[in-house]
Amino acid sequence: MSTTFPARSIGSAASAVAAAPVVPAHSRLRPLGLHEVRITGGFWGERQRINAAHTLGHVLGRLESEGWLPNFDRAAAGTLPAGRRGREFSDSEVYKYLEAAAWEIGRSDDAELEATLRSVVARVAAAQEPDGYLNTRFGRPGQQPRWSDLEWGHELYCLGHLFQAAVARERTRPGADDGLLGIARRAADLVCEVFGPTGIPAFCGHPEVETALAELARVTGDERYRAQAELFVERRGHETLRDIEFGRTYFQDDVPVRDAGALAGHAVRANYLAAGAVDVAVDAGDDELLGALRHQWARTRGRRTYITGGQGSHHQDEAFGDDWELPPDRAYSETCAGIASIMFSWRLLLAEGDAAYADLIERTLYNVVATSPAADGRSFFYANTLHQRVPGVEADPEGTSPRASSSLRAPWFEVSCCPPNVARTLASLDAYVATADDEGVQLHQYAPSEIRTTLPDGRVVSLDVQTAYPADGVVRVVVGEDAGGAWTLSLRVPEWADGARLRVRDAAGAVIDDDATGPGRVEVRRDFRTGEVVELELPMAPRLVAPDARIDAVRGCVAVERGPEVLALESTDLPGGADVGRAAIAGDAEPVERDGRVWLRVGLRPDESDGWPYGNRSASATAAAEEAELVPLVAYHDWANRGPSTMRVWLPVE
Amino acid sequence: MSTTFPARSIGSAASAVAAAPVVPAHSRLRPLGLHEVRITGGFWGERQRINAAHTLGHVLGRLESEGWLPNFDRAAAGTLPAGRRGREFSDSEVYKYLEAAAWEIGRSDDAELEATLRSVVARVAAAQEPDGYLNTRFGRPGQQPRWSDLEWGHELYCLGHLFQAAVARERTRPGADDGLLGIARRAADLVCEVFGPTGIPAFCGHPEVETALAELARVTGDERYRAQAELFVERRGHETLRDIEFGRTYFQDDVPVRDAGALAGHAVRANYLAAGAVDVAVDAGDDELLGALRHQWARTRGRRTYITGGQGSHHQDEAFGDDWELPPDRAYSETCAGIASIMFSWRLLLAEGDAAYADLIERTLYNVVATSPAADGRSFFYANTLHQRVPGVEADPEGTSPRASSSLRAPWFEVSCCPPNVARTLASLDAYVATADDEGVQLHQYAPSEIRTTLPDGRVVSLDVQTAYPADGVVRVVVGEDAGGAWTLSLRVPEWADGARLRVRDAAGAVIDDDATGPGRVEVRRDFRTGEVVELELPMAPRLVAPDARIDAVRGCVAVERGPEVLALESTDLPGGADVGRAAIAGDAEPVERDGRVWLRVGLRPDESDGWPYGNRSASATAAAEEAELVPLVAYHDWANRGPSTMRVWLPVE
């Protein structure tokens, strides 16, 4: 079967609406979609390649073999609930797959994937009830009634992912005749009917439908969807849902969104809700709500975020802890929470333009999203600990793992949100690289990429970004054509990049301008000529990083970073595979770069006997490290790729 | 209604079997029961008074109002499952109440309580099936079949608590005509029939029946019960139970007991199992098993125990973490795990005599068991955090709290194991004070108490222990009568008591002997005369304590202890009620004692704004504390008694 759509060529299909995950009605920065930005290789290009070549197929295979996609066939055949498999939210994984496939088709125009998407959509379509209801777990004889368990049922959550899939499809293939948008609209219409102003005065225990409805409104122009999203956001926080063991904070029903001080409760729920609330605030011009979210973002970043960008320090409820409660060994840092945090940050970046949002996105991409999938794209971390105390256990390649117990990457989970969530994120990653505004283009993430967009005044900006980042710190932005007048190229200097330099070269390579620049956003406004180059040089020397004194769990420790990457010490690299728990570094230790790796002088404490472990102050302080050796560190996102090991990001200083 | 039993008078009813919770067939130390030891006042006497006056009635009231005791009436009336309330293990709380009441009657001979016990026993008896089965949750039409959910059903666990109640009753009121022992025996006979060598080759997901069967064998002389306990212990660890999300480690079915390296999994389950395994090992003379348990105890104490003696660092599965994983803010340290740990330690103390077991018992009694109940004995901590970051919320005095979410003590929990477990522990605490052997008497815990026992050779040892411990460090042991020859008085010098002194005084008070002594066990062998005094003086100056360098979560911190009590800093005592998260102490700070409290010079860090909390090493290390003030500390067991507060045991050193 061949596709009916032309292959993507950058800049050639500049539609009114970007083929991007978030397209606000109005915002400070305008997103650039897959037709305007293409990642062409490098760190992320390789991951996108693996995502397309392996992960999508792996996910689909598991959706089939686990019975989660066949649930739709059973629904269509009228045989449910018999034989239904999977948790109450398993439908959503099918929708996340569809979203990932839609973006990937938008990126690569893969005909086989197009056929697959259409066949999956057809199976989903067949399961939809005449009134638009769609869920394989509720509403049939022998099942719980529709909307009877808003706390845990995930019905609206599942539909939210359906809507996001339809949005992705419509943005990348406007008017496609596969029926996905129609399925979504029928379901959304039902949601508006059932949960509208005079309907059930409640909402879903797992936010997601809010941002999805807002985007569906943007795609369809249907104002009801936006109003429903707003209603869902505003209803939250008034103790409407039943109390549960974890408390109503778990699903953000303890405090109204606009009154909250920081994200709290289940980390994925909190970030999805915050993302939806930004959508609502932006489209409604609700500056009070937007201000509250901006404050929550800052507070959450400042007090509830791991050095990796990861969020969530409770295993029990997959939740944020209190301020400063960031234990590395119990870091939950769910992969999906990282993705959700990127969704929240990205929306604020579009709304406000502050480089700090892109800083956190970069950190989270390199150290959470990139950490989850194995090199082959077929197994994943669900949780992302910062300190593995006991060597992990290899997951059965054919098996299904408990979600967070897997200490090594696992192919699939009982709760398997992370694999398709990673897939949809990687497949749409091009859209997070750059934005535009009236004055020009902003680069947020550095990857080899082609950018071609049209400014509101009709001028075309065309850029070729050349870089080996993060292996190397030089980012060369080559101007592809004269725009015919001055415009502004804005580049993000990451928060860690003290001592960066910005150079402008003419087409012959001669330096026109050369300035030191610091963290934040640096702008070059110029009547750029074809072949001119803006060159950002970021300092990539490895650096020691200390935690805020209020983060109790890593007091007395330092971490090593290099560029956007957090590094880790893995037992695999220690003499004799020694446990990283024995490691300590001297107060004056400094990381060095050699042979493409970062090395640090690490000592090993003797493994002592087991007396009572609390005692006289002077006695306990004298656990001297054995003679330190130079040991290579590993990028955190690469750990656990060489078999079972222990690992730690934070290294105690003697 | 009046009791048919005479009031307890110490030493007057020296039966062959001690009225004590654990009476091994043979052991290094012989337990002394409630007829041989009586706590007469002081720290623990007051808590026993409150337990009797308030806690027992509070627990019974809740058992009624929550429907957990009425479940038995419904069972007897044949109306179950309709109207059954409570979790699958709610029967066990009734049995724990009965055990507590039995001990309390043994202590105080309370006629009203005797009547109450009899009425509760009658209601339990009426619910027993003809074949001996007893459980309100399983086995009836409309309920799950008997023994169909060994992983989570808790049927044998519940029966274990029934057996322990019957043992307590029989030890304190041998031959009582209330029928409790008969109920227990009929149920135990059924257990042996169903789970015997040719029966269901499995065991209960929650250990407890092992130690209970061993004790029931000791009380009844029925060897089958002992053999069944042994069978249950030996069957464990071979992956018999179904795998669960937490893994089989949760219920100790991953590794056979004799092969385990340390306690692991659910902390209450692990300690109950270990206690039962010691019982089995001791009675069978299985030195290999006993040696394995001794090693596990040492390893667990050395690497998996909080400074309070608390155990369990996971909220999710109420479980031990890995070695050195001891986060203070996420300390679960369940009250019941502390009690279970005391049960394990006490059995090893009887078996082996090592003072270290009594040291851990003392630490756990003062800092876990004493921490749980409020001063009025009507509300309880289920979990015992070592760092409360956010002021707690007062629990509804009429309500039921989620188990571990209560940040202040709560009157009752959905899982309400802790209140009756505290009650049975306090009611039997006299039996943990002292033991005897062929040579004399050993004092393990220091409380105002009377001790009178008969040595195997028929000589009577009578002691009056006078002390204000732990308020004061002097323990005076006054000899009550001439035994007629030399015997040995052994006293424990706690592990923290460097610089203790031991004096012997004649009846006139003149010092006969005065020696420095150190931690461990100190013995005085002498032909003691009436009125002679052995006086132990323990150094009670407050002391700074540092953690082992391998406990990452409290690196760079110190705690303050005084005697057996761990102290804490509570926001209530800080200027303006400042958050303890801002506290820091100088490297040379030393605690001082003044006006009956311990004081420490504490500085407060400024509450800074929320930037990215990881950064340049030199910059982050300079969060200077404001001028330090002398602040009083509170005994950890007394915290949260003055309203919502933040609290921390471990104090960062600048």
Side-chain angles (χ1 to χ4, degrees):
Chain A
M1 182 175 175
S2 71
T3 172
T4 53
F5 298 101
R8 174 173 68 140
S9 79
I10 289 300
S12 65
S15 72
V17 177
V22 188
V23 186
H26 28 85
S27 61
R28 173 108 187 265
L29 306 180
R30 179 174 67 82
L32 300 185
L34 304 190
H35 299 289
E36 295 158 295
V37 187
R38 176 161 55 190
I39 295 172
T40 53
F43 185 98
W44 292 110
E46 173 62 8
R47 279 161 177 79
Q48 291 188 305
R49 187 188 68 74
I50 291 163
N51 188 51
H54 301 306
T55 304
L56 282 176
H58 169 79
V59 168
L60 184 63
R62 283 302 186 116
L63 291 173
E64 290 282 13
S65 65
E66 298 289 332
W68 302 358
L69 186 48
N71 286 341
F72 289 86
D73 308 334
R74 293 175 193 274
T79 62
L80 285 181
R84 189 186 181 283
R85 293 172 62 194
R87 290 285 301 270
E88 59 276 25
F89 33 72
S90 66
D91 290 2
S92 75
E93 314 311 346
V94 174
Y95 305 146
K96 273 181 245 170
Y97 169 81
L98 282 176
E99 185 189 338
W103 294 123
E104 185 55 34
I105 291 164
R107 283 185 69 248
S108 64
D109 211 22
D110 182 305
E112 196 180 329
L113 189 58
E114 170 74 22
T116 303
L117 177 141
R118 284 172 176 264
S119 79
V120 173
V121 168
R123 292 163 74 182
V124 168
Q128 190 166 33
E129 311 276 331
D131 67 352
Y133 185 79
L134 184 51
N135 190 295
T136 66
R137 170 69 177 260
F138 288 87
R140 294 169 190 79
Q143 294 184 323
Q144 287 174 259
R146 292 180 184 181
W147 325 119
S148 61
D149 182 11
L150 292 173
E151 289 77 10
W152 296 110
H154 287 78
E155 287 161 282
L156 290 165
Y157 164 86
C158 288
L159 291 179
H161 280 296
L162 171 70
F163 303 163
Q164 287 192 319
V167 166
R169 183 65 170 164
E170 183 65 13
R171 292 243 172 88
T172 51
R173 290 291 180 263
D177 63 354
D178 53 58
L180 183 53
L181 185 62
I183 299 170
R185 292 204 65 161
R186 282 190 294 281
D189 291 344
L190 181 71
V191 168
C192 293
E193 197 181 305
V194 173
F195 289 92
T198 59
I200 301 174
F203 44 87
C204 186
H206 199 314
E208 156 64 24
V209 76
E210 296 79 2
T211 190
L213 279 169
E215 284 297 320
L216 193 63
R218 290 163 177 177
V219 156
T220 61
D222 193 329
E223 167 64 18
R224 278 190 314 160
Y225 303 155
R226 195 201 60 74
Q228 188 63 47
E230 191 175 316
L231 207 50
F232 280 143
V233 168
E234 295 297 345
R235 277 179 184 161
R236 254 191 146 81
H238 302 283
E239 305 194 348
T240 301
L241 298 181
R242 219 175 42 229
D243 200 9
I244 58 169
E245 171 157 0
F246 307 140
R248 290 196 182 86
T249 308
Y250 175 78
F251 33 47
Q252 295 78 42
D253 192 25
D254 53 340
V255 180
V257 176
R258 63 179 73 238
D259 299 336
L263 297 195
H266 189 269
V268 179
R269 284 170 167 80
N271 273 291
Y272 279 177
L273 176 63
V278 176
D279 291 332
V280 162
V282 163
D283 287 2
D286 185 341
D287 288 342
E288 185 207 66
L289 179 57
L290 188 63
L293 291 158
R294 180 173 54 231
H295 176 75
Q296 290 165 31
W297 182 91
R299 185 95 178 187
T300 304
R301 179 190 68 148
R303 302 186 173 210
R304 300 185 174 198
T305 302
Y306 285 101
I307 189 173
T308 53
Q311 297 183 346
S313 46
H314 289 189
H315 279 238
Q316 184 179 33
D317 46 359
E318 309 188 309
F320 284 100
D322 295 324
D323 285 350
W324 313 116
E325 185 191 317
L326 293 162
D329 48 0
R330 293 295 282 170
Y332 197 70
S333 180
E334 184 181 338
T335 300
C336 288
I339 289 169
S341 158
I342 290 171
M343 289 169 59
F344 181 28
S345 295
W346 176 250
R347 282 158 174 79
L348 285 173
L349 177 61
L350 292 180
E352 312 213 316
D354 189 337
Y357 301 118
D359 281 342
L360 186 58
I361 290 173
E362 174 174 66
R363 188 172 282 276
T364 311
L365 281 173
Y366 277 99
N367 302 294
V368 179
V369 175
T371 305
S372 176
D376 71 355
R378 291 195 180 92
S379 63
F380 306 84
F381 276 128
Y382 185 108
N384 295 279
T385 187
L386 272 68
H387 183 176
Q388 181 74 29
R389 292 184 178 275
V390 172
V393 176
E394 299 270 11
D396 173 4
E398 304 305 315
T400 296
S401 300
R403 44 188 162 186
S405 309
S406 63
S407 39
L408 289 178
R409 294 174 182 88
W412 202 249
F413 304 91
E414 286 156 21
V415 177
S416 219
C417 42
C418 297
N421 222 352
V422 167
R424 70 175 183 140
T425 303
L426 289 176
S428 59
L429 197 62
D430 314 63
Y432 294 89
V433 166
T435 57
D437 64 7
D438 293 352
E439 305 303 316
V441 166
Q442 303 81 39
L443 294 189
H444 303 292
Q445 305 300 335
Y446 299 117
S449 46
E450 299 169 22
I451 298 170
R452 185 182 162 89
T453 190
T454 307
L455 299 181
D457 59 15
R459 290 182 296 157
V460 170
V461 172
S462 165
L463 303 171
D464 181 15
V465 182
Q466 303 168 351
T467 182
Y469 186 82
D472 180 84
V474 177
V475 180
R476 288 167 47 86
V477 184
V478 184
V479 176
E481 56 194 277
D482 294 1
W487 59 274
T488 304
L489 177 65
S490 159
L491 297 113
R492 179 178 61 94
V493 180
E495 106 276 342
W496 46 263
D498 276 322
R501 292 202 75 83
L502 188 79
R503 290 185 203 92
V504 182
R505 295 180 190 270
D506 66 20
V511 174
I512 302 171
D513 207 358
D514 185 349
D515 286 311
T517 182
R521 192 157 285 294
V522 57
E523 297 187 340
V524 184
R525 183 162 183 87
R526 184 176 166 81
D527 183 358
F528 288 106
R529 299 303 164 125
T530 306
E532 284 186 352
V533 178
V534 176
E535 191 175 283
L536 179 65
E537 187 176 337
L538 298 171
M540 301 303 279
R543 55 194 190 276
L544 286 176
V545 172
D548 187 294
R550 292 168 288 187
I551 305 178
D552 296 290
V554 291
R555 177 171 289 112
C557 292
V558 293
V560 182
E561 296 181 336
R562 181 186 171 282
E565 295 173 306
V566 174
L567 306 184
L569 176 65
E570 198 172 2
S571 58
T572 323
D573 295 312
L574 280 173
D579 177 10
V580 296
R582 295 175 51 202
I585 66 170
D588 59 356
E590 289 291 343
V592 294
E593 207 159 2
R594 187 186 300 173
D595 306 328
R597 294 192 74 173
V598 175
W599 303 69
L600 190 66
R601 208 163 278 284
V602 176
L604 292 177
R605 292 196 177 90
D607 205 15
E608 290 161 34
S609 61
D610 297 326
W612 176 245
Y614 309 96
N616 188 287
R617 207 174 160 188
S618 50
S620 289
T622 58
E626 286 169 24
E627 203 168 320
E629 284 188 36
L630 215 48
V631 169
L633 304 178
V634 65
Y636 175 71
H637 59 70
D638 273 346
W639 91 273
N641 273 324
R642 295 171 293 172
S645 61
T646 62
M647 177 280 299
R648 66 189 302 164
V649 166
W650 290 102
L651 305 170
V653 179
E654 286 268 295
Chain B
M1 181 174 175
S2 71
T3 173
T4 52
F5 299 100
R8 173 172 69 140
S9 79
I10 289 298
S12 66
S15 72
V17 176
V22 188
V23 185
H26 28 85
S27 62
R28 175 111 186 262
L29 306 180
R30 179 173 66 82
L32 300 184
L34 303 190
H35 299 289
E36 294 159 296
V37 187
R38 175 162 55 192
I39 295 173
T40 53
F43 185 99
W44 292 111
E46 172 62 8
R47 279 161 178 80
Q48 291 188 304
R49 187 187 69 73
I50 291 163
N51 187 52
H54 302 305
T55 304
L56 282 175
H58 169 80
V59 167
L60 183 64
R62 284 301 187 117
L63 291 174
E64 290 282 13
S65 64
E66 298 289 333
W68 303 358
L69 185 48
N71 286 340
F72 288 86
D73 307 334
R74 293 174 193 275
T79 61
L80 285 180
R84 188 186 183 282
R85 292 173 61 194
R87 291 284 301 269
E88 59 275 26
F89 33 71
S90 67
D91 291 3
S92 75
E93 314 310 347
V94 173
Y95 305 145
K96 273 181 246 167
Y97 168 80
L98 283 176
E99 185 189 338
W103 293 123
E104 184 55 33
I105 292 165
R107 284 186 69 247
S108 65
D109 212 21
D110 183 305
E112 197 180 328
L113 188 58
E114 171 73 21
T116 303
L117 177 143
R118 284 172 176 264
S119 78
V120 173
V121 169
R123 292 163 75 181
V124 169
Q128 191 167 33
E129 310 276 331
D131 67 352
Y133 184 80
L134 184 51
N135 190 294
T136 66
R137 172 69 177 258
F138 288 87
R140 294 167 191 80
Q143 293 184 323
Q144 286 174 259
R146 292 180 185 181
W147 323 120
S148 62
D149 183 10
L150 292 173
E151 288 78 11
W152 296 110
H154 287 78
E155 287 161 283
L156 290 166
Y157 164 87
C158 289
L159 291 180
H161 279 296
L162 171 70
F163 303 164
Q164 287 192 317
V167 166
R169 183 66 170 163
E170 183 64 14
R171 292 244 172 88
T172 51
R173 291 290 180 265
D177 62 354
D178 53 58
L180 183 53
L181 184 62
I183 299 170
R185 293 204 63 162
R186 281 190 294 281
D189 291 345
L190 180 72
V191 168
C192 292
E193 197 181 304
V194 172
F195 289 92
T198 60
I200 301 173
F203 43 88
C204 186
H206 199 314
E208 157 64 22
V209 76
E210 297 79 3
T211 189
L213 279 168
E215 284 297 320
L216 193 63
R218 290 163 176 176
V219 156
T220 61
D222 193 328
E223 167 65 18
R224 277 190 314 160
Y225 303 157
R226 195 201 60 73
Q228 187 63 48
E230 192 175 315
L231 207 50
F232 280 144
V233 168
E234 295 297 346
R235 277 179 184 160
R236 256 193 145 80
H238 302 284
E239 304 194 347
T240 301
L241 298 180
R242 218 175 41 230
D243 200 8
I244 59 169
E245 170 158 1
F246 306 141
R248 290 196 183 86
T249 307
Y250 176 78
F251 33 47
Q252 296 78 42
D253 192 25
D254 54 339
V255 180
V257 176
R258 63 180 73 237
D259 298 337
L263 297 195
H266 188 269
V268 178
R269 283 170 167 80
N271 273 291
Y272 280 177
L273 177 63
V278 175
D279 291 333
V280 162
V282 163
D283 287 3
D286 184 341
D287 288 342
E288 185 205 68
L289 180 57
L290 188 63
L293 291 158
R294 181 172 54 231
H295 176 76
Q296 289 164 33
W297 182 90
R299 184 97 178 186
T300 304
R301 181 191 65 150
R303 302 184 173 212
R304 299 184 175 197
T305 302
Y306 285 101
I307 189 173
T308 53
Q311 297 183 345
S313 46
H314 289 188
H315 278 239
Q316 185 179 33
D317 47 358
E318 307 189 310
F320 284 100
D322 295 324
D323 285 350
W324 314 117
E325 185 190 316
L326 293 162
D329 48 0
R330 291 296 281 171
Y332 198 69
S333 181
E334 184 181 338
T335 300
C336 288
I339 290 169
S341 158
I342 290 170
M343 290 169 59
F344 181 28
S345 295
W346 176 250
R347 283 157 174 79
L348 285 173
L349 177 62
L350 292 180
E352 312 213 317
D354 189 337
Y357 300 119
D359 281 342
L360 186 58
I361 290 173
E362 175 174 66
R363 187 172 282 276
T364 311
L365 281 173
Y366 278 98
N367 302 295
V368 179
V369 175
T371 306
S372 176
D376 71 356
R378 290 195 181 91
S379 63
F380 306 84
F381 276 128
Y382 185 109
N384 296 278
T385 187
L386 273 69
H387 183 176
Q388 180 74 31
R389 293 183 178 274
V390 172
V393 176
E394 300 270 12
D396 173 5
E398 305 305 316
T400 296
S401 300
R403 45 188 161 186
S405 308
S406 63
S407 40
L408 289 177
R409 295 174 181 88
W412 202 249
F413 304 91
E414 284 156 22
V415 178
S416 217
C417 40
C418 296
N421 222 351
V422 167
R424 69 174 185 142
T425 303
L426 290 175
S428 59
L429 198 62
D430 314 64
Y432 293 89
V433 166
T435 56
D437 64 7
D438 292 354
E439 306 303 316
V441 166
Q442 303 81 39
L443 293 189
H444 303 291
Q445 305 301 334
Y446 299 118
S449 47
E450 298 169 21
I451 298 171
R452 185 182 161 87
T453 190
T454 307
L455 299 182
D457 60 14
R459 291 182 296 159
V460 170
V461 171
S462 166
L463 303 171
D464 181 15
V465 182
Q466 304 169 351
T467 182
Y469 186 84
D472 181 83
V474 177
V475 181
R476 288 167 47 85
V477 185
V478 183
V479 176
E481 57 194 274
D482 293 1
W487 59 274
T488 302
L489 177 66
S490 161
L491 297 113
R492 179 178 62 94
V493 179
E495 106 276 343
W496 45 263
D498 276 322
R501 293 201 74 82
L502 187 78
R503 291 185 201 91
V504 182
R505 294 179 189 270
D506 66 20
V511 174
I512 302 171
D513 208 356
D514 185 349
D515 287 310
T517 182
R521 191 158 285 294
V522 57
E523 297 188 341
V524 183
R525 184 164 183 84
R526 184 176 166 80
D527 183 359
F528 288 106
R529 300 302 164 126
T530 305
E532 285 187 354
V533 177
V534 177
E535 191 176 283
L536 179 66
E537 187 175 334
L538 299 171
M540 301 302 279
R543 54 193 191 278
L544 286 177
V545 173
D548 187 292
R550 291 168 288 187
I551 304 178
D552 295 292
V554 291
R555 177 171 289 111
C557 293
V558 293
V560 182
E561 297 182 335
R562 181 186 171 283
E565 295 173 308
V566 174
L567 306 184
L569 177 66
E570 197 172 2
S571 58
T572 324
D573 295 312
L574 280 173
D579 177 9
V580 297
R582 294 174 51 200
I585 66 170
D588 60 356
E590 289 291 342
V592 294
E593 209 160 358
R594 186 187 298 172
D595 307 328
R597 295 193 74 173
V598 176
W599 302 68
L600 190 66
R601 208 164 278 284
V602 175
L604 292 177
R605 292 195 178 91
D607 205 14
E608 289 161 33
S609 61
D610 297 324
W612 177 245
Y614 309 96
N616 188 287
R617 208 174 160 188
S618 51
S620 289
T622 57
E626 286 170 23
E627 203 168 322
E629 284 187 35
L630 214 49
V631 170
L633 303 178
V634 65
Y636 174 71
H637 58 70
D638 274 346
W639 91 272
N641 272 326
R642 296 172 292 171
S645 62
T646 61
M647 178 279 301
R648 67 188 302 165
V649 166
W650 290 103
L651 305 170
V653 179
E654 285 268 294

